Amino acid sequence: MKLNRRRFLAATAATLTMPATIDFASAEEKVIRFAMPQDFTRVYTFVTAEYSQGQRDYITLVNERGGINGYRIIADVSDHGNDLPRAIEAYEKAKREGAVLIDPLSTPVARALVPRALEDKINMVTAFSGRSDAADGTAFPYVLPLSPNYWTQAGLLVDYFRQQDKDLKGKKIVFVHIDTPFGREPLPILQVLSQKLGFEFQAFPYTPPGNDQSAIWPQVRRARPDWVMFWGAGVGQTVAMSEAVRNGLPMDRVCSSVWLSESDMDVIGREQVKGVLKVEPCVSGKDPKPVQAIINEVVSKGKGAGPENKVGTSYYNYGVMMGAIMIEGVKKAFERNPGGPITGLWLNEGLRSITNFTAEGMIPPMTVTKEDHQGGGGGRIARWDGTKFVPATDWFAANQDVVWAEIRKSSEEFRKSGK
Amino acid sequence: MLYRRAGLRHTRYEDERQLWPLQFDRGLVVLVLVVLVAAPLLVNRLYLVSYLLPWVIWSTAALGLNLLMGGAGQIHLGYGAVMAMGAYGSVHLVRAGVPFEFAMVGGGLISACVGIVFGGAALRVQGLYLAMATLAMQYVVDFVISHVPMISGGTQATIQVPTVRFLGIPVAGDLPTYYVALIICAIVTVFILNVGRTSLGRALAAVREKDYAAEIIGVNTFKFKLLAFWISSFIGGVAGSVLAVCYLRAISPDQFHIELSIQLVAMVIVGGLGSVLGSFFGAALILFAPIVLNNLIGGIADGLGLSISTDLRSHVPLMLYGALIIGFLLWEPLGLAKIYNNVRNYFFVWPFRHAQR
Amino acid sequence: MDSSLIIELAINGALIGLMYALVALGIVLIYKTSGLANLAQGAIAMTGAYVTWAIAYGVGAPIWLAIPLALVLMFGVGMLIERLALRRMIGQPVIMAIMLTLGIEIMLRGLLPGMFGSAVKRLDIGIPQAPLFVGDFLINRATLIGGSVSLLVILLSLVFFNSRYGVVMRAVSDDQTASWSVGIRVERAIAIAWGLAAVTAASAGILWGANQGVDWSLSLLLIKALAIAILGGLDSIVGVLIAGLIVGVVESVATGLIDPLVGGGTRDIAASVIILLTLLVKPHGLFGREHIERV
């Protein structure tokens, strides 16, 4: 069949005018909708696939066990490609379908959706991303990080250095970061801490996406730092680590934010980067009880949302962690208002009354309150031993006073001027 | 039968120069206007906010770019930066207390003046080189905006847009934002429709066809190219400010990236260079294709019970979107406006098809 | 500012610049013969890396077999793109053809990660990571090998353009109609040019993929490659070499010197500033030929 102009145009017209959506459930069923438009194709590709898999597997687990109080949880997953019109369309669609929670997993999208979420009273969960000052629940009632934000992570790392070195006075800490708002976020905290604890601090930004850092690391090497922090995402992380290895920097003095996973290690070579450290918000690997439950009840029955070899990787576990926290919020919401109705406000009350939640031992005890949407900022440092991440410390929270001072500064500005 | 052309005898020059001499065309225009104005009553709120509103705003931007690309024949791969400057300029002005009407114009002026600096630099070169220069402009403007905290808004790098008043009515909520965007779009459309009939439009056409030949017959190429850049950047800046206030409501530097510039160029080309209707069609196609394809693939996968991996599922719209652009360029290079013209020509003599030449 | 740092940055910068120049070589090849800028070059590099990964890891072939196989495949892919897509655009204005290459880029960016998975993939071509110290300077082993391979390929293409078939291709790039009239198979020359451009892009993709892992961001090599191509002159291969060195050195040294003053990110705009300055001062690049248009 010859593909000529007329047939092409007819085919295009037919495809684009076909009925667009098929609803998953009718309105009368007992469902709670979580909308999860995330970036599968553009910038966050390194994390979204595994994170979403973990989230969906956990929700499938909960549904397989009968849901919560007979209500099924539906996760509407779609791709917004980090493109704002698509993200806003996905948000509006979610709103129309009655979603009570949205997880965009993208900082620019989260920032753009903040005014809408606050107005429409839909809970926006911004895991490890979004606005760091949203931890202040009084200024952002409907934006919930529910995870240690970047300021907390930086604080945890500096405190770890202090624990290792006993006293940071006179030491040199180097911060290699991607030159975007995400990379620049920890800078104020690090500057305050450097004054408080007496260490010398130097920052080296690199151009996004970070596939060419060959000019940065020789400078790092010459600065002879005591500790190196690298703060990037995806390809920036792998290149940073290989450059660090090539420049002969000792791996056990090099550490990163939460965005480091086994697949990154694979790219460089698992043995090469033995000793590198990262911030861990939850237990990694297949040992935690929720992951074991998922393996037994979901994956082995073939209901997993993705390839089996990704179960238990870092980002997968982040997804499980966030899923568990969201479900805990639903449970608490039912405890407070058993009759419903299922709205954003209802879930908001539940999420803000999570107390000492550990997800069966997977995360440090987390308490969310009306003022603190971060959940306490607990985490731990883990070390790569060549095959997996092993914890190097216990769960701890550190420098929260500095972090909260910064949070309050930003959220005050938001409250006053709408910034 | 529909397009009655018999009995049209003009006795005055003004009648001959009408934009739409045929009754049917005029009727169509009125119909479209009525539908657009009454849209909030006719369509679901979801469609209004996530489809109509961005379509109107992006069409305004595409019209501005079309003036430059279709009217004057210059390539501009940095239109996203132009919109960014308009957005940031007007938002800062609004936050400083300037009324929205003036802030919008102010944003447009900022875009125009900076745009003309880069446009002037690029006027020594043509075609591909001009495209590269405007591409460089995109990156430089991006860099400046995200590295100057005063412009980009500090560590959070997001600036919320405060509620503004347009002609006395607060621009908040669905209806006022939609109508503001519609009014601006209407003004720009009327301007572009009439530009082609003025001496400016004719000069631009001469420059577009062969600029050294135009120079020879006395058209000051340099001046008109600069003018085209200025006007087009002004429109882009105004579109950017409307985008910021009515649609985004919180702007950050990574929203106006190279992807946006490429999207706009695609809208103009797929829509049809130089055609007003084409800008609207192109904007609709490029804006909605990823969304529609996304929903479609999701619907098919769930409806047929196929479990495609999410990776593949989310990349298929991107693939189809690229294929769509390729397809249009291969099979209808004159764009959607040409398709409309073909349809219109068919209906000119319908049902007497044998009369078609 | 210490001079040994600058020298080290310059050396590493030159090598990285050569690796970018490999992508630019493809752009120049296509511009010489077809007269349009191929904005899909970065995506083709990404495709080359993915194909190599698929052959090496998916099928399990050893890497020394996978690379030549992938290059042959990419030659075919380049010819295919030219045959199916570009040939229909011959009479059209150049902006349409450029837009078409953009469409191809978008499609490839969707197709390859969709088929093979979007997580970053490892591509190991056997370069050890251990640092290589020459005196006080650290030479990055991977970029050293990458830079040398690019240099080799660029020199090879210079030799090729002086060979018999190279002269044929130069004739085609000069004037297609005249070439037809003396009996040169113009379509074949253009197809071969596209195939060669795809091969150079693929080798660049493999080198960069080994450096940073294979994922969609390989398609971002395009911008730097365009800067180099414009600086050197869109139709000059020698220009690509010299411009690659210049751009690499300028970027690296700028990062070292200017970043501390400005607060970062000058590498970003180094390429853009180079493009703008070139277009202001010498629009056709250092070694490019002026186009003379006649009415």
Side-chain angles (χ1 to χ4, degrees):
Chain A
M1 170 163 141
K2 192 163 160 301
L3 185 62
N4 66 10
R5 173 191 299 192
R6 197 180 285 177
R7 291 204 181 103
F8 167 75
L9 291 173
T12 315
T15 325
L16 289 180
T17 49
M18 255 173 75
T21 54
I22 298 179
D23 256 324
F24 300 115
S26 61
E28 295 88 56
E29 274 192 42
K30 293 165 78 169
V31 291
I32 299 180
R33 284 202 119 94
F34 289 169
M36 286 160 181
Q38 293 167 356
D39 177 12
F40 287 90
T41 52
R42 196 77 189 99
V43 173
Y44 291 83
T45 48
F46 63 99
V47 59
T48 311
E50 289 166 30
Y51 175 90
S52 174
Q53 193 189 340
Q55 249 178 353
R56 276 180 289 151
D57 277 349
Y58 188 80
I59 293 181
T60 313
L61 175 72
V62 167
N63 284 338
E64 288 290 303
R65 287 181 175 171
I68 313 278
N69 278 16
Y71 276 78
R72 213 157 53 95
I73 317 280
I74 293 197
D76 280 334
V77 176
S78 65
D79 171 38
H80 60 56
N82 228 24
D83 187 29
L84 284 171
R86 285 169 71 178
I88 295 182
E89 193 263 347
Y91 173 86
E92 294 290 335
K93 203 145 77 76
K95 198 167 97 169
R96 185 180 69 157
E97 287 171 358
V100 289
L101 183 147
I102 183 167
D103 179 359
L105 198 61
S106 154
T107 302
V109 167
R111 290 210 176 123
L113 288 178
V114 161
R116 285 172 213 256
L118 290 178
E119 217 179 276
D120 300 327
K121 300 206 182 345
I122 296 187
N123 299 288
M124 184 159 71
V125 172
T126 58
F128 312 108
S129 58
R131 298 185 69 122
S132 290
D133 51 357
D136 184 356
T138 51
F140 296 89
Y142 280 88
V143 182
L144 300 108
L146 298 179
S147 52
N149 62 23
Y150 293 128
W151 290 332
T152 305
Q153 292 175 34
L156 283 172
L157 281 171
V158 171
D159 200 60
Y160 175 73
F161 302 158
R162 191 187 53 81
Q163 288 173 20
Q164 297 297 104
D165 279 355
K166 299 295 175 291
D167 182 14
L168 287 177
K169 252 197 194 19
K171 302 271 180 170
K172 198 162 190 179
I173 300 189
V174 155
F175 181 62
V176 177
H177 67 270
I178 190 170
D179 196 16
T180 62
F182 147 60
R184 290 192 283 252
E185 265 203 75
L187 284 172
I189 299 286
L190 290 170
Q191 264 148 5
V192 169
L193 285 173
S194 87
Q195 275 168 345
K196 199 166 127 180
L197 297 171
F199 60 81
E200 205 189 311
F201 166 67
Q202 215 176 347
F204 290 99
Y206 61 79
T207 325
N211 49 359
D212 180 11
Q213 295 174 37
S214 56
I216 302 284
W217 290 89
Q219 296 181 58
V220 171
R221 190 186 88 240
R222 276 158 198 272
R224 295 189 208 295
D226 292 290
W227 292 98
V228 177
M229 293 165 67
F230 64 98
W231 212 263
V235 97
Q237 301 280 75
T238 50
V239 172
M241 279 193 289
S242 14
E243 291 285 338
V245 169
R246 286 186 200 143
N247 273 282
L249 290 168
M251 279 290 117
D252 54 356
R253 299 227 136 203
V254 174
C255 39
S256 146
S257 62
V258 291
W259 295 127
L260 207 59
S261 85
E262 289 80 354
S263 11
D264 295 326
M265 301 307 184
D266 270 336
V267 172
I268 313 168
R270 294 186 159 218
E271 278 302 309
Q272 304 257 8
V273 281
K274 227 157 96 155
V276 83
L277 302 154
K278 78 163 195 181
V279 178
E280 239 192 11
C282 65
V283 178
S284 54
K286 296 198 181 155
D287 297 323
K289 294 223 199 70
V291 181
Q292 284 288 317
I294 290 178
I295 295 181
N296 292 335
E297 296 175 41
V298 175
V299 175
S300 58
K301 297 201 181 132
K303 297 198 177 152
E308 203 172 323
N309 60 353
K310 295 286 183 196
V311 174
T313 59
S314 307
Y315 299 148
Y316 182 93
N317 284 15
Y318 295 176
V320 173
M321 166 188 163
M322 295 315 296
I325 299 176
M326 294 183 210
I327 298 292
E328 176 69 12
V330 171
K331 286 194 190 140
K332 287 279 183 215
F334 269 114
E335 275 172 32
R336 287 177 70 106
N337 299 335
I342 316 285
T343 61
L345 176 61
W346 172 82
L347 184 57
N348 191 259
E349 305 254 314
L351 283 166
R352 288 160 117 185
S353 38
I354 294 181
T355 328
N356 280 331
F357 177 59
T358 62
E360 301 177 271
M362 200 166 157
I363 56 179
M366 165 184 246
T367 304
V368 182
T369 66
K370 283 202 181 6
E371 292 82 25
D372 176 11
H373 278 189
Q374 197 191 190
R380 69 183 182 193
I381 310 294
R383 187 185 296 276
W384 175 254
D385 73 348
T387 42
K388 57 187 192 308
F389 283 106
V390 281
T393 66
D394 226 345
W395 299 116
F396 69 107
N399 288 320
Q400 284 291 299
D401 46 350
V402 178
V403 171
W404 273 96
E406 194 65 34
I407 292 179
R408 297 240 161 74
K409 217 166 43 163
S410 275
S411 64
E412 263 314 298
E413 281 198 57
F414 174 79
R415 225 197 296 252
K416 264 193 314 209
S417 64
K419 191 178 170 181
Chain B
M1 185 177 96
L2 297 167
Y3 288 86
R4 190 156 298 182
R5 288 188 291 178
L8 273 183
R9 263 173 276 278
H10 302 295
T11 48
R12 300 181 310 156
Y13 284 124
E14 292 86 359
D15 288 340
E16 178 116 33
R17 283 170 39 113
Q18 283 172 337
L19 277 173
W20 297 294
L22 297 177
Q23 178 94 7
F24 190 72
D25 280 330
R26 286 200 288 266
L28 276 180
V29 171
V30 169
L31 182 66
V32 167
L33 267 177
V34 165
V35 166
L36 281 178
V37 170
L41 304 168
L42 297 173
V43 297
N44 190 332
R45 193 193 155 266
L46 166 70
Y47 291 108
L48 186 70
V49 170
S50 33
Y51 292 109
L52 271 184
L53 181 59
W55 178 56
V56 167
I57 299 177
W58 254 263
S59 304
T60 318
L63 281 170
L65 186 58
N66 215 341
L67 175 66
L68 190 62
M69 285 182 69
Q74 313 292 314
I75 308 178
H76 200 330
L77 284 180
Y79 215 64
V82 169
M83 288 176 77
M85 287 189 284
Y88 270 94
S90 56
V91 170
H92 277 288
L93 283 173
V94 162
R95 286 165 73 99
V98 174
F100 179 51
E101 300 84 342
F102 295 114
M104 214 166 36
V105 171
L109 284 174
I110 295 177
S111 289
C113 296
V114 178
I116 212 180
V117 167
F118 284 96
L123 286 174
R124 284 189 63 183
V125 296
Q126 305 223 27
L128 172 66
Y129 294 98
L130 180 57
M132 293 307 116
T134 47
L135 193 64
M137 166 186 166
Q138 164 80 39
Y139 284 113
V140 171
V141 171
D142 248 350
F143 177 82
V144 168
I145 289 183
S146 56
H147 279 85
V148 178
M150 217 169 54
I151 303 181
S152 67
T155 49
Q156 290 303 321
T158 317
I159 310 186
Q160 305 276 11
V161 180
T163 323
V164 296
R165 304 180 78 86
F166 186 71
L167 299 179
I169 307 172
V171 179
D174 300 335
L175 288 182
T177 52
Y178 173 69
Y179 282 122
V180 166
L182 195 60
I183 292 174
I184 303 293
C185 185
I187 297 176
V188 171
T189 313
V190 168
F191 173 75
I192 302 282
L193 275 173
N194 286 301
V195 156
R197 308 199 291 171
T198 62
S199 63
L200 169 66
R202 289 193 294 271
L204 290 181
V207 165
R208 173 184 72 218
E209 294 303 323
K210 249 190 180 34
D211 51 354
Y212 38 91
E215 190 84 45
I216 292 174
I217 63 171
V219 173
N220 187 347
T221 333
F222 190 64
K223 169 181 144 193
F224 280 105
K225 282 185 187 172
L226 271 184
L227 200 56
F229 258 97
W230 199 97
I231 299 178
S232 165
S233 303
F234 182 81
I235 297 178
V238 169
S241 72
V242 170
L243 181 68
V245 172
C246 299
Y247 189 58
L248 293 176
R249 292 183 228 156
I251 49 176
S252 55
D254 43 15
Q255 293 166 355
F256 297 98
H257 40 39
I258 182 73
E259 294 281 313
L260 181 63
S261 302
I262 295 180
Q263 255 188 332
L264 285 167
V265 172
M267 283 180 199
V268 166
I269 292 189
V270 166
L273 282 171
S275 129
V276 169
L277 207 53
S279 309
F280 284 96
F281 288 154
L285 186 72
I286 300 291
L287 208 54
F288 301 146
I291 302 178
V292 167
L293 288 169
N294 225 351
N295 292 339
L296 193 67
I297 303 290
I300 290 181
D302 289 312
L304 295 180
L306 297 172
S307 64
I308 320 179
S309 79
T310 353
D311 244 349
L312 186 62
R313 205 159 115 167
S314 42
H315 280 94
V316 167
L318 199 61
M319 271 195 267
L320 289 179
Y321 172 58
L324 209 61
I325 294 184
I326 296 176
F328 266 103
L329 285 170
L330 287 181
W331 278 290
E332 188 49 89
L334 292 168
L336 292 164
K338 182 73 167 61
I339 298 175
Y340 172 76
N341 264 333
N342 291 343
V343 171
R344 185 166 173 265
N345 285 338
Y346 179 81
F347 279 109
F348 253 178
V349 294
W350 182 82
F352 305 107
R353 280 188 293 152
H354 52 270
Q356 198 169 39
R357 275 173 262 119
Chain C
M1 197 29 58
D2 132 72
S3 59
S4 61
L5 174 66
I6 298 190
I7 298 181
E8 181 175 339
L9 287 179
I11 297 178
N12 275 315
L15 292 170
I16 291 254
L18 280 175
M19 285 174 72
Y20 281 123
L22 196 53
V23 187
L25 181 63
I27 297 184
V28 164
L29 276 174
I30 292 180
Y31 188 83
K32 270 169 93 90
T33 47
S34 314
L36 63 100
N38 178 18
L39 295 185
Q41 197 70 1
I44 299 180
M46 176 188 74
T47 313
Y50 266 111
V51 165
T52 317
W53 176 86
I55 298 180
Y57 291 85
V59 175
I63 195 75
W64 50 263
L65 181 60
I67 293 184
L69 212 59
L71 290 179
V72 167
L73 258 161
M74 289 309 294
F75 188 85
V77 165
M79 288 183 66
L80 205 69
I81 292 181
E82 190 272 334
R83 180 75 181 79
L84 291 180
L86 276 311
R87 200 161 287 193
R88 299 182 64 118
M89 294 280 172
I90 291 193
Q92 309 278 358
V94 74
I95 182 64
M96 300 292 206
I98 296 181
M99 204 57 224
L100 186 67
T101 55
L102 268 175
I104 295 178
E105 202 242 343
I106 297 177
M107 195 173 79
L108 285 175
R109 252 196 300 124
L111 186 65
L112 273 314
M115 265 200 323
F116 294 119
S118 59
V120 180
K121 305 198 185 324
R122 174 180 169 74
L123 187 64
D124 183 11
I125 54 180
I127 302 178
Q129 298 274 27
L132 178 66
F133 280 95
V134 174
D136 196 22
F137 308 129
L138 174 80
I139 313 269
N140 201 327
R141 207 181 280 249
T143 48
L144 181 65
I145 296 187
S148 336
V149 169
S150 318
L151 189 61
L152 197 66
V153 172
I154 294 178
L155 291 175
L156 267 177
S157 57
L158 272 174
V159 165
F160 171 72
F161 268 80
N162 282 320
S163 74
R164 185 150 194 276
Y165 205 76
V167 174
V168 165
M169 289 182 68
R170 280 200 279 163
V172 167
S173 79
D174 225 356
D175 191 331
Q176 287 186 2
T177 323
S179 311
W180 258 310
S181 58
V182 293
I184 294 179
R185 312 238 308 249
V186 172
E187 291 91 350
R188 189 131 79 90
I190 297 183
I192 292 189
W194 271 84
L196 285 176
V199 166
T200 55
S203 28
I206 295 174
L207 287 170
W208 278 99
N211 220 352
Q212 60 162 75
V214 178
D215 78 340
W216 68 271
S217 62
L218 281 176
S219 57
L220 296 172
L221 288 170
L222 176 70
I223 314 297
K224 297 278 167 60
L226 273 176
I228 293 178
I230 291 190
L231 176 62
L234 273 171
D235 50 6
S236 156
I237 296 185
V238 171
V240 159
L241 185 59
I242 310 286
L245 289 168
I246 295 179
V247 168
V249 169
V250 166
E251 278 197 340
S252 263
V253 174
T255 318
L257 283 180
I258 308 186
D259 264 3
L261 301 171
V262 174
T266 43
R267 181 177 226 123
D268 253 350
I269 56 165
S272 309
V273 168
I274 289 178
I275 293 182
L276 285 172
L277 284 175
T278 318
L279 290 172
L280 268 179
V281 172
K282 210 171 187 303
H284 292 281
L286 292 171
F287 293 90
R289 272 186 322 167
E290 295 247 353
H291 290 287
I292 303 180
E293 271 187 74
R294 296 185 170 80
V295 183

